[in-house]
Structures are given as structure tokens and as C-alpha cells.
Amino acid sequence: MTDIDTLRDTLLARIQTLETPHDILKASEFKALYSVIPTLDPAERGAYGKRINQLKTELEAAASARQEALEDSSVMPLDITAPWQLNSTAPLLLPTEQGTQHPLTRELEEVIDIFTRMGFDAHESRQIDDDWNMFGALNFPEGHPARDGYDTFRTEEGYIPPAHTSTMQNRVLKAGKAKLESGGQIASISYGRVFRNEDVDATHEHTFYQCEGVFVSDDATLGQMLGTLRAFFEEYYGQKLKIKTQPGYFPFVEPGLEFAIEKPAALGGKPGDWLEMLGCGMIHPNVLRAADIDPDKYRGFAWGGGVERLVMLKYGIEDLRHFESGKLTFLRKFL
Ligand code: PHE
């Protein structure tokens, strides 16, 4: 009988390897059990025969279960990630071992790293906001024409997918007020996706990334701002750079500036190739007031600009649309 028990385990295990599991009943070891019967003492034959029949029933049940499982797995599972062009010979999916961060995520991490090493804290910006943070707190009066310059999307309820990371300024200022009043400074960057209702071309996207900086202390100056921005750009591009500014209008800074760098020779630039990188300026007193910070006691500067622009210059990328395209030929260049 112990022989039968051992054989039972072997046969049950073997069923799991068979493509036609009912063949188990034809296994020679199983058949051999029957040929033993005539050799047994007649008194034992009944019990032995019963035991074989039990085993047979058990094997049949296991074989049926296996058969059913095989049929289930031969049905094509629904794969919602399957490539669209089924007949293409190109490898459409990246081998997982070569998976990588999106180039923008990687570069954004580099940007955050540089600013945090300078002593800034960093926050991701919101992706849905309201009129107050988009305009009101930033000194855009109701009905002011400068509001139109931001090609802002709005939901039916009146919410706004932010058109710039400046929507974070009021929150950053309010959150930092106590620090300021206890003798500290506000030094913060906000980064994230922004959205504009624009016609898309090689230099315009409806969805892109910005990084915003806010610094407030009791004696912040424009010179400190230019020094901070120069330090950032030289660290990011790994070389000395020429910088210049020209007046720019943003209701939330006064004076407002556009900040440009000369395209370095190493990145294909010629002297006099100026690239505007961001908007910046001294924070407008009304913006400080909107966060309940006294503009007679504290001063600050702010800047904000697109992340794609930084990355395009660094890698010689000619078309902004590549970033959101999901094209693997583009993404693979950053493996
Ligand atoms: N938010 C502005 C833009 O997107 C840039 C800016 C930020 C300008 C901060 C001045 C200060 O155009």
C-alpha cells in the first residue's frame, strides 16, 4: 500500500507536466498495479482493487483540472499595452532592463539638486489652481490685459491648470512668513507642469515644465538675484557663461527683467547668440502684501522659466514637441 501512496504522488506531479493530462491513466506504472492483482492472496485482492480504483478517480479529477487550466491559458489574455503596429518589425517596446527616467525628469532632478545645494527648499507645483493664485495674488488686477498674455485654460467650474509656476508664490510666501519674522530667509523653488492654450510648434507646447525661485530677506538685492542665476546656469552647463538682462514686464515684479545667456561655443553658439532663459525681478510690494508680508521690512526676488529650454540647449534638441511625444527613437538617446 505504501508503494501505491508513493506512486500516487509521482503521478499527480507528472500530470502537471502533461499537455494531454488524461494520458496519465496509460502510464505503465499505473497499469502495472493491475497486473499485481492475480499474484495477491485472494483475501487481500478486494482491498487492493478498491485502493487502485480510488487512485484512478483521483488521477482523473486531477487530469480534468489540469485540462481546464490549459484551456484557460490558451485564450489570448487582453494586453492593453500591446504595440499598436502589430506587424512592424521594429522593436516597439524598450527591453525592461534598459528602462530609464524621462529626460525631463532626470534634468529636473539636476536642477533641483543645484538649487538645494545652494540652500533652497523645493516643492512640486500644483496642477490645478484658482484665479487668486494664478492672477489675484500676483498683482494682476481684475480685467487687466496682462491676464490675456497667459493663454490660460479654465475648467467649467472656473479652476485653472496653472499657466506658470508663479501660482506657487503666494503659498511659498505665506508658509515662509514665520521664518522671515524670526530672522531667517525664504529660499524656495517650485517646479512642475504648466499648461497654456497655445498653437503647438517647435518652440511652443500646451504642456511644459517650469521652475520658479523665490527669495525673501530683509535686504535682498537684484545683484544677489543675478549672482544666484549665474551660479545656477554655470553649474548646470558646467562652464563660465556670459549673461545679460533686458527689461521685461510681469505685474508681479518691479523692476521686471528678462534674463539671457550667450550660447556657449561648446554648444554650437557664436558670440552674440543670446538666448532668453527666464523672467525675473524684484517681488512687487503688492505680492508681498497679498501674503501678509510687510514690504517696508522685507524684500525679495523671483524668477521663473521653462525647463525644456534648458535641456534643449544642453543636448542640442531642436523641437520641443519631442518631450511629450513618447517617441522611443527620441527617448532612447537618453538611455
Ligand atoms: N511666470 C513668468 C512666466 O511664466 C516668469 C516669471 C517668474 C517672471 C517670476 C518674473 C518672476 O512668464
Side-chain angles (χ1 to χ4, degrees), residues 86-121:
L86 288 172
N87 298 320
S88 164
T89 51
L92 286 164
L93 297 174
L94 283 171
T96 41
E97 70 271 20
Q98 284 182 35
T100 181
Q101 282 180 307
H102 190 281
L104 280 180
T105 309
R106 201 174 73 185
E107 295 301 311
L108 195 54
E109 284 184 0
E110 171 75 22
V111 170
I112 295 166
D113 182 56
I114 296 172
F115 282 117
T116 49
R117 279 190 277 132
M118 284 181 180
F120 285 81
D121 58 32

Coordinates of all heavy atoms in Angstrom, one line a residue, residues 86-121:
L86 N 1.1 45.9 -35.0 CA 1.4 44.5 -34.7 C 2.3 43.9 -35.7 O 3.1 43.0 -35.4 CB 0.1 43.7 -34.6 CG -0.7 44.0 -33.3 CD1 -2.0 43.3 -33.3 CD2 0.1 43.5 -32.1
N87 N 2.3 44.4 -36.9 CA 3.1 43.8 -38.0 C 4.5 44.4 -38.2 O 5.2 44.0 -39.0 CB 2.4 43.8 -39.3 CG 1.1 42.9 -39.2 OD1 1.1 41.9 -38.5 ND2 0.0 43.4 -39.7
S88 N 4.7 45.5 -37.4 CA 6.0 46.2 -37.5 C 7.1 45.2 -37.1 O 7.0 44.5 -36.1 CB 6.0 47.4 -36.7 OG 7.3 47.9 -36.5
T89 N 8.3 45.3 -37.7 CA 9.4 44.5 -37.3 C 10.3 45.3 -36.3 O 11.2 44.7 -35.7 CB 10.3 44.1 -38.5 OG1 10.6 45.3 -39.2 CG2 9.6 43.1 -39.3
A90 N 10.0 46.6 -36.1 CA 10.9 47.4 -35.2 C 10.5 47.0 -33.8 O 9.4 46.7 -33.5 CB 10.6 48.9 -35.4
P91 N 11.5 47.0 -32.9 CA 11.2 46.7 -31.5 C 10.5 47.9 -30.9 O 11.0 48.9 -30.8 CB 12.6 46.5 -30.9 CG 13.6 47.2 -31.8 CD 12.9 47.2 -33.1
L92 N 9.2 47.6 -30.6 CA 8.4 48.8 -30.2 C 8.4 49.1 -28.7 O 8.1 50.1 -28.3 CB 6.9 48.5 -30.6 CG 6.7 48.7 -32.1 CD1 5.4 48.0 -32.6 CD2 6.8 50.1 -32.5
L93 N 8.8 48.1 -27.9 CA 8.9 48.3 -26.5 C 10.3 48.2 -26.1 O 11.1 47.4 -26.5 CB 8.1 47.3 -25.8 CG 6.6 47.3 -26.1 CD1 5.9 46.2 -25.4 CD2 6.0 48.6 -25.6
L94 N 10.7 49.1 -25.1 CA 12.1 49.0 -24.6 C 12.2 47.8 -23.8 O 11.3 47.5 -23.0 CB 12.3 50.2 -23.7 CG 12.6 51.6 -24.3 CD1 12.6 52.6 -23.2 CD2 13.9 51.6 -25.0
P95 N 13.3 47.1 -23.9 CA 13.5 46.0 -23.0 C 13.6 46.5 -21.6 O 14.1 47.6 -21.4 CB 14.9 45.4 -23.4 CG 15.3 46.1 -24.7 CD 14.4 47.3 -24.8
T96 N 12.9 45.9 -20.7 CA 12.7 46.5 -19.3 C 14.1 46.8 -18.7 O 14.2 47.8 -17.9 CB 11.9 45.6 -18.4 OG1 12.3 44.3 -18.6 CG2 10.4 45.7 -18.6
E97 N 15.1 46.0 -19.0 CA 16.3 46.2 -18.3 C 17.0 47.5 -18.7 O 17.9 48.0 -18.1 CB 17.3 45.0 -18.4 CG 17.9 44.8 -19.7 CD 17.0 43.9 -20.6 OE1 15.8 43.7 -20.3 OE2 17.5 43.3 -21.5
Q98 N 16.5 48.1 -19.9 CA 17.0 49.3 -20.3 C 16.1 50.5 -20.0 O 16.2 51.6 -20.5 CB 17.2 49.3 -21.9 CG 18.4 48.5 -22.3 CD 18.6 48.5 -23.8 OE1 18.3 49.5 -24.4 NE2 19.0 47.4 -24.3
G99 N 15.1 50.3 -19.2 CA 14.2 51.4 -18.8 C 14.9 52.5 -18.2 O 16.0 52.3 -17.6
T100 N 14.4 53.7 -18.3 CA 15.1 54.8 -17.8 C 14.1 55.9 -17.4 O 13.0 55.9 -17.8 CB 16.1 55.3 -18.8 OG1 16.8 56.4 -18.3 CG2 15.4 55.8 -20.1
Q101 N 14.6 56.9 -16.7 CA 13.8 58.1 -16.4 C 13.6 58.9 -17.7 O 14.5 58.9 -18.6 CB 14.5 59.0 -15.4 CG 14.4 58.5 -14.0 CD 15.2 59.5 -13.1 OE1 16.3 59.8 -13.4 NE2 14.5 60.0 -12.1
H102 N 12.5 59.6 -17.8 CA 12.3 60.5 -18.9 C 13.3 61.6 -18.8 O 13.7 62.0 -17.7 CB 10.9 61.1 -18.8 CG 10.4 61.9 -20.0 ND1 10.9 63.2 -20.2 CD2 9.6 61.6 -21.0 CE1 10.4 63.6 -21.3 NE2 9.6 62.7 -21.8
P103 N 13.9 62.1 -19.9 CA 15.0 63.1 -19.9 C 14.6 64.3 -19.0 O 15.4 64.9 -18.3 CB 15.2 63.4 -21.3 CG 14.2 62.7 -22.1 CD 13.7 61.6 -21.3
L104 N 13.3 64.7 -19.1 CA 12.9 65.9 -18.3 C 13.0 65.6 -16.8 O 13.4 66.5 -16.1 CB 11.5 66.3 -18.7 CG 11.3 67.1 -20.0 CD1 9.9 67.4 -20.2 CD2 12.2 68.4 -20.0
T105 N 12.6 64.5 -16.4 CA 12.6 64.1 -15.0 C 14.1 64.2 -14.5 O 14.4 64.7 -13.5 CB 12.0 62.7 -14.8 OG1 10.8 62.6 -15.4 CG2 11.9 62.4 -13.3
R106 N 14.9 63.5 -15.4 CA 16.3 63.5 -15.0 C 16.9 64.9 -14.9 O 17.6 65.2 -13.9 CB 17.1 62.7 -16.0 CG 18.4 62.1 -15.5 CD 19.0 61.2 -16.6 NE 19.5 62.0 -17.7 CZ 20.0 61.4 -18.8 NH1 20.0 60.1 -18.9 NH2 20.5 62.2 -19.7
E107 N 16.7 65.7 -15.8 CA 17.2 67.1 -15.8 C 16.6 67.9 -14.7 O 17.3 68.7 -14.1 CB 17.0 67.7 -17.2 CG 17.8 67.1 -18.3 CD 19.3 67.0 -18.1 OE1 19.9 68.0 -17.7 OE2 19.9 65.9 -18.2
L108 N 15.3 67.7 -14.5 CA 14.7 68.4 -13.4 C 15.3 68.1 -12.1 O 15.6 68.9 -11.2 CB 13.2 68.1 -13.4 CG 12.3 69.0 -12.6 CD1 12.4 70.5 -13.0 CD2 10.8 68.6 -12.8
E109 N 15.7 66.8 -11.9 CA 16.4 66.4 -10.7 C 17.7 67.1 -10.5 O 18.1 67.5 -9.4 CB 16.5 64.9 -10.6 CG 15.2 64.2 -10.3 CD 15.2 62.7 -10.1 OE1 16.3 62.1 -10.3 OE2 14.2 62.1 -9.8
E110 N 18.4 67.3 -11.7 CA 19.7 68.0 -11.6 C 19.4 69.5 -11.2 O 20.2 70.0 -10.4 CB 20.2 67.9 -13.1 CG 21.5 68.8 -13.3 CD 22.7 68.2 -12.7 OE1 22.8 67.0 -12.5 OE2 23.7 69.0 -12.5
V111 N 18.4 70.1 -11.8 CA 18.1 71.5 -11.4 C 17.8 71.6 -9.9 O 18.3 72.5 -9.2 CB 16.8 72.0 -12.2 CG1 16.3 73.3 -11.7 CG2 17.2 72.0 -13.7
I112 N 16.9 70.7 -9.4 CA 16.6 70.7 -8.0 C 17.8 70.5 -7.2 O 18.0 71.2 -6.1 CB 15.5 69.6 -7.7 CG1 14.2 69.9 -8.4 CG2 15.3 69.5 -6.2 CD1 13.3 68.7 -8.5
D113 N 18.7 69.6 -7.6 CA 19.9 69.3 -6.8 C 20.8 70.6 -6.7 O 21.3 70.9 -5.6 CB 20.7 68.2 -7.6 CG 21.9 67.8 -6.8 OD1 21.8 67.5 -5.6 OD2 23.0 67.9 -7.4
I114 N 20.9 71.3 -7.8 CA 21.8 72.5 -7.8 C 21.2 73.5 -6.8 O 21.9 74.1 -6.0 CB 21.9 73.1 -9.2 CG1 22.6 72.1 -10.1 CG2 22.7 74.5 -9.1 CD1 22.7 72.6 -11.6
F115 N 19.9 73.8 -6.9 CA 19.3 74.8 -6.0 C 19.2 74.3 -4.6 O 19.4 75.1 -3.7 CB 17.9 75.2 -6.5 CG 17.9 76.1 -7.7 CD1 17.4 75.8 -8.9 CD2 18.5 77.4 -7.5 CE1 17.4 76.7 -10.0 CE2 18.5 78.3 -8.6 CZ 18.0 77.9 -9.8
T116 N 19.0 73.1 -4.3 CA 19.0 72.6 -2.9 C 20.4 72.7 -2.3 O 20.6 73.1 -1.2 CB 18.4 71.2 -2.7 OG1 19.0 70.3 -3.6 CG2 16.9 71.2 -2.9
R117 N 21.4 72.5 -3.2 CA 22.8 72.7 -2.7 C 23.1 74.1 -2.3 O 23.9 74.5 -1.5 CB 23.8 72.1 -3.7 CG 24.0 70.6 -3.6 CD 25.1 70.1 -4.4 NE 24.8 69.9 -5.8 CZ 25.5 70.4 -6.8 NH1 26.6 71.1 -6.6 NH2 25.1 70.2 -8.1
M118 N 22.4 75.1 -3.0 CA 22.5 76.5 -2.7 C 21.7 76.9 -1.5 O 21.8 78.1 -1.1 CB 22.0 77.3 -3.9 CG 22.9 77.4 -5.1 SD 22.0 78.5 -6.2 CE 23.1 78.5 -7.6
G119 N 20.9 76.0 -0.9 CA 20.1 76.3 0.3 C 18.7 76.6 0.0 O 17.9 77.0 0.9
F120 N 18.2 76.3 -1.2 CA 16.8 76.5 -1.5 C 16.0 75.2 -1.1 O 16.6 74.1 -1.3 CB 16.5 76.7 -3.0 CG 16.9 78.1 -3.4 CD1 18.2 78.5 -3.6 CD2 15.9 79.1 -3.5 CE1 18.6 79.8 -4.0 CE2 16.3 80.4 -3.9 CZ 17.6 80.7 -4.1
D121 N 14.8 75.3 -0.6 CA 14.0 74.1 -0.5 C 13.2 74.0 -1.8 O 13.1 74.9 -2.6 CB 13.1 74.1 0.8 CG 12.2 75.3 0.9 OD1 11.7 75.7 -0.2 OD2 11.9 75.7 2.0

